Amino acid sequence: MQDFIDLFLLKYYNLSTELKEMIGSIISAIGESYEASRNIYNIIGTVLAAMLAYKAVYYAIGFLFTRKFKPAKKKHKYAILIAARNEKNVIGNLLDSIKKQDYPKKLLTVFVVADNCTDNTAEIARSKGAICYERFDEEHKTKGFALQYLFDRIEEDYGRDSFEGYFIFDADNLLKSDYISKMNDAFDSGEKIITSYRNTKNFDENWMASTYALHWIRSIRTNHRARSVLRLATNIQGTGFLFANEIVRNGWNYTGLTEDRALTADAVARGYQITYQDEAEFFDEQPTSLKVALRQRLRWSKGHLLAFVETGPKLFANIFFGKLFIKDMWGKSKDDVKGFFPKLVESIRHRFASFDTLMQLTPVVVINIVRWLIVSVFIFGCFSYTNGIDSLKVFAGSGLVAKGLRMIFGNLTVSMNPGVGAFFVSMLLAVFARILYRLGAYLVNTLTAVYIFIVEHHRIKKIALHKKLLYCLTWPIFDIIGRWTIYAALFVKVEWKPIPHTSKVTIDDVDTSDGVK
């Protein structure tokens, strides 16, 4: 085989013997660094694993606890903001669910920005009692720009400080009748930024919708609940959240592809907690098309990377310097906590929250794929070019699939003499081992869906058993898509595009006495 490859290169690529020897020398030199490179590879992996180990504590807390809030002593005045683009199919149902809130109507003002609409979204919003502004700007298309426009209009016509807090919703959302009352309990306790329980109105429409639905509940169980208990900062996820007017004292400045990630990172960098109210539940519509999902996830991934670049340095500095460089742009004083021990506790809290948010934003999957491609594929290929392949396992690795195949087929191995053949075969085996590892991880990840269906059964609508089994098997595709879209986002230009909403589900269909139907 080696003679054949050498002949192929000489005949079809007309490589001279001298050039071939030079290339071989370079490959051999790279191969000599394999052992050292492998050690660095392992060190990086160990460090990343250690930096993320605290997540296990989150999982344990999220399984057992969530933060509870006492009934509010005061009813606060809120504005409800909705950015809508061609949402005639769903916006009326959202506004109806707002009207059915058990909260004093005089303390709620609903604002809609009909953003570049070509349908009658604005007319429907006004007919349902909302104050609607229409915006037409084909150059600045993101939801963030629409919200910026809306906050500017509110400042002009009402004054942003005339409302104590602001809710942000998407047009496809539906609110349980006690949603605002429950969020008010958290707001009245002194919290400045609060997110809520995100359920899905089309959970069982198809497997794609179910992957999103399970993802939102996973976020609740593995992130929101624990962070709220520990008084840290969880992450805002697009919709269904409330914040104090001081957050937008200087206007809304989050206009990128993912305004929620930018708000989260900036708020944490400036010392804010972001809590979670488990008792406030809303519903939204999930994509059912793979094409739409891929487009949306690519935008999320690009926004994730941009938020890391923009806010990562601030969060990194906060880990070491605390609130030393925090300015009062949002009315947040560096000396808002009095006393040595309270200040010490707050300093530790803020530093860890900054670290935690930085780890959320850090593209670990990119780091891992880069180090794997460089060391396990390319440098190992160079090593094999010089040293050959000596009984390399075909089904290598400690994953479930690799172990199962070894049990069935035994320890099949490959051996080859040094040369170009060994170079390519070793790389192919490294890729094959990676595929086996990912397949094993896929199977393990299905257990997450099983866990969610069990612990959240009282809030998930009744779904046939055969569909639950299907959704458990398809659920890991959500993370697979996320991994590959973040790889693509490194190289692809991404534009914001609206997600179509067509669900006819109303709040009466989902808001029953036991919370589900």
Side-chain angles (χ1 to χ4, degrees):
M1 182 176 181
Q2 182 62 52
D3 292 339
F4 172 79
I5 293 174
D6 288 345
L7 180 62
F8 178 84
L9 291 173
L10 286 168
K11 182 176 180 180
Y12 290 96
Y13 288 95
N14 198 29
L15 292 178
S16 66
T17 303
E18 293 79 7
L19 180 57
K20 180 185 169 186
E21 290 177 352
M22 183 181 72
I23 294 173
S25 299
I26 294 173
I27 293 175
S28 297
I30 294 172
E32 290 176 1
S33 68
Y34 176 68
E35 292 299 330
S37 300
R38 190 69 190 178
N39 289 334
I40 296 172
Y41 176 95
N42 291 332
I43 290 171
I44 293 173
T46 301
V47 170
L48 288 174
M51 293 174 71
L52 293 168
Y54 70 92
K55 287 279 193 174
V57 177
Y58 282 8
Y59 300 158
I61 294 175
F63 176 72
L64 298 170
F65 307 105
T66 190
R67 188 175 177 184
K68 301 292 185 181
F69 296 93
K70 296 179 180 179
K73 296 179 181 179
K74 177 185 176 182
K75 301 288 187 181
H76 295 270
K77 184 180 180 181
Y78 299 113
I80 298 173
L81 275 56
I82 306 161
R85 178 177 296 186
N86 293 336
E87 298 284 13
K88 66 178 183 179
N89 294 319
V90 293
I91 194 166
N93 291 334
L94 167 59
L95 296 174
D96 287 343
S97 74
I98 293 173
K99 286 183 179 179
K100 293 181 179 181
Q101 292 296 298
D102 62 4
Y103 199 81
K105 302 299 183 290
K106 65 181 181 179
L107 297 178
L108 300 176
T109 303
V110 181
F111 294 95
V112 173
V113 54
D115 185 39
N116 290 299
C117 289
T118 57
D119 64 3
N120 62 336
T121 294
E123 288 80 359
I124 295 172
R126 293 187 181 109
S127 71
K128 296 287 185 178
I131 298 168
C132 184
Y133 297 93
E134 295 185 65
R135 172 181 179 268
F136 297 95
D137 186 343
E138 285 295 327
E139 185 177 351
H140 305 98
K141 295 182 179 181
T142 69
K143 175 183 172 183
F145 279 115
L147 289 173
Q148 184 181 68
Y149 177 88
L150 185 52
F151 274 112
D152 288 345
R153 301 292 77 75
I154 292 172
E155 174 66 14
E156 290 176 358
D157 297 342
Y158 301 88
R160 285 189 290 265
D161 287 344
S162 62
F163 303 100
E164 295 173 80
Y166 289 89
F167 285 94
I168 303 291
F169 295 111
D170 289 339
D172 61 299
N173 296 163
L174 298 172
L175 315 184
K176 287 192 69 173
S177 59
D178 62 351
Y179 180 90
I180 293 178
S181 294
K182 294 300 183 182
M183 291 292 274
N184 185 65
D185 291 343
F187 190 84
D188 192 62
S189 73
E191 294 299 327
K192 301 294 186 181
I193 310 177
I194 308 149
T195 191
S196 55
Y197 189 100
R198 186 173 192 163
N199 211 329
T200 298
K201 61 187 183 183
N202 64 327
F203 199 127
D204 60 344
E205 187 170 354
N206 72 356
W207 69 270
M208 177 57 68
S210 75
T211 64
Y212 278 83
L214 290 166
H215 164 70
W216 299 128
I217 300 176
R218 175 182 63 173
S219 296
I220 289 166
R221 280 285 173 172
T222 60
N223 289 319
H224 298 341
R225 288 165 64 104
R227 288 175 178 143
S228 64
V229 168
L230 298 172
R231 307 303 194 269
L232 295 170
T234 195
N235 52 311
I236 298 300
Q237 293 181 307
T239 185
F241 61 97
L242 165 66
F243 54 81
N245 58 16
E246 67 186 66
I247 304 301
V248 287
R249 186 157 293 160
N250 294 324
W252 179 267
N253 301 309
Y254 311 105
T255 58
L257 294 171
T258 49
E259 72 289 334
D260 52 347
R261 289 189 184 275
L263 170 60
T264 297
D266 205 25
V268 175
R270 296 192 179 283
Y272 282 90
Q273 297 182 36
I274 304 176
T275 196
Y276 164 71
Q277 167 58 299
D278 190 67
E279 295 181 324
E281 183 177 357
F282 76 100
F283 301 80
D284 73 339
E285 181 181 346
Q286 308 306 334
T288 57
S289 161
L290 179 59
K291 180 180 178 180
V292 171
L294 288 172
R295 187 179 74 205
Q296 183 185 58
R297 297 297 300 282
L298 183 60
R299 174 173 61 82
W300 288 2
S301 295
K302 193 72 170 184
H304 184 124
L305 294 173
L306 292 174
F308 172 72
V309 172
E310 292 167 358
T311 315
K314 297 178 187 177
L315 294 168
F316 185 77
N318 283 352
I319 297 171
F320 299 98
F321 301 104
K323 297 184 178 182
L324 182 63
F325 299 113
I326 292 178
K327 298 180 181 179
D328 294 342
M329 288 181 64
W330 292 356
K332 186 81 171 177
S333 172
K334 292 183 293 185
D335 299 319
D336 56 344
V337 178
K338 305 299 181 182
F340 175 78
F341 286 107
K343 279 190 174 184
L344 177 63
V345 171
E346 171 58 18
S347 177
I348 294 172
R349 186 209 67 79
H350 173 59
R351 290 167 192 260
F352 186 79
S354 297
F355 168 77
D356 184 24
T357 304
L358 179 62
M359 293 311 298
Q360 287 185 70
L361 293 177
T362 300
V364 175
V365 295
V366 174
I367 296 172
N368 282 336
I369 195 69
V370 169
R371 70 190 180 102
W372 174 74
L373 285 171
I374 292 174
V375 178
S376 297
V377 178
F378 180 66
I379 296 181
F380 180 61
C382 295
F383 175 82
S384 299
Y385 175 87
T386 303
N387 299 278
I389 299 174
D390 183 16
S391 300
L392 187 64
K393 291 181 180 178
V394 174
F395 306 122
S398 58
L400 290 177
V401 174
K403 288 181 178 179
L405 290 173
R406 287 200 296 270
M407 288 179 62
I408 296 171
F409 298 103
N411 287 318
L412 298 179
T413 61
V414 173
S415 297
M416 290 188 71
N417 293 325
V420 177
F423 176 80
F424 285 110
V425 170
S426 64
M427 290 197 294
L428 288 173
L429 288 174
V431 171
F432 184 59
R434 185 79 172 185
I435 292 172
L436 295 182
Y437 166 75
R438 283 297 174 197
L439 286 174
Y442 178 105
L443 293 175
V444 172
N445 200 8
T446 60
L447 298 177
T448 301
V450 175
Y451 163 75
I452 290 170
F453 276 123
I454 292 173
V455 299
E456 294 289 338
H457 69 276
H458 60 296
R459 297 176 94 162
I460 297 176
K461 66 184 297 184
K462 293 180 180 179
I463 299 173
L465 180 59
H466 72 277
K467 281 193 172 184
K468 286 184 179 179
L469 293 174
L470 171 64
Y471 297 159
C472 288
L473 292 174
T474 57
W475 143 248
I477 295 174
F478 186 90
D479 288 344
I480 294 172
I481 291 174
R483 183 177 300 111
W484 283 96
T485 54
I486 205 164
Y487 298 156
L490 292 168
F491 309 101
V492 176
K493 182 180 179 181
V494 180
E495 294 183 357
W496 191 92
K497 294 182 180 180
I499 302 299
H501 299 120
T502 59
S503 175
K504 298 184 183 300
V505 173
T506 69
I507 191 59
D508 294 329
D509 296 323
V510 292
D511 189 0
T512 60
S513 58
D514 62 354
V516 295
K517 187 172 181 178

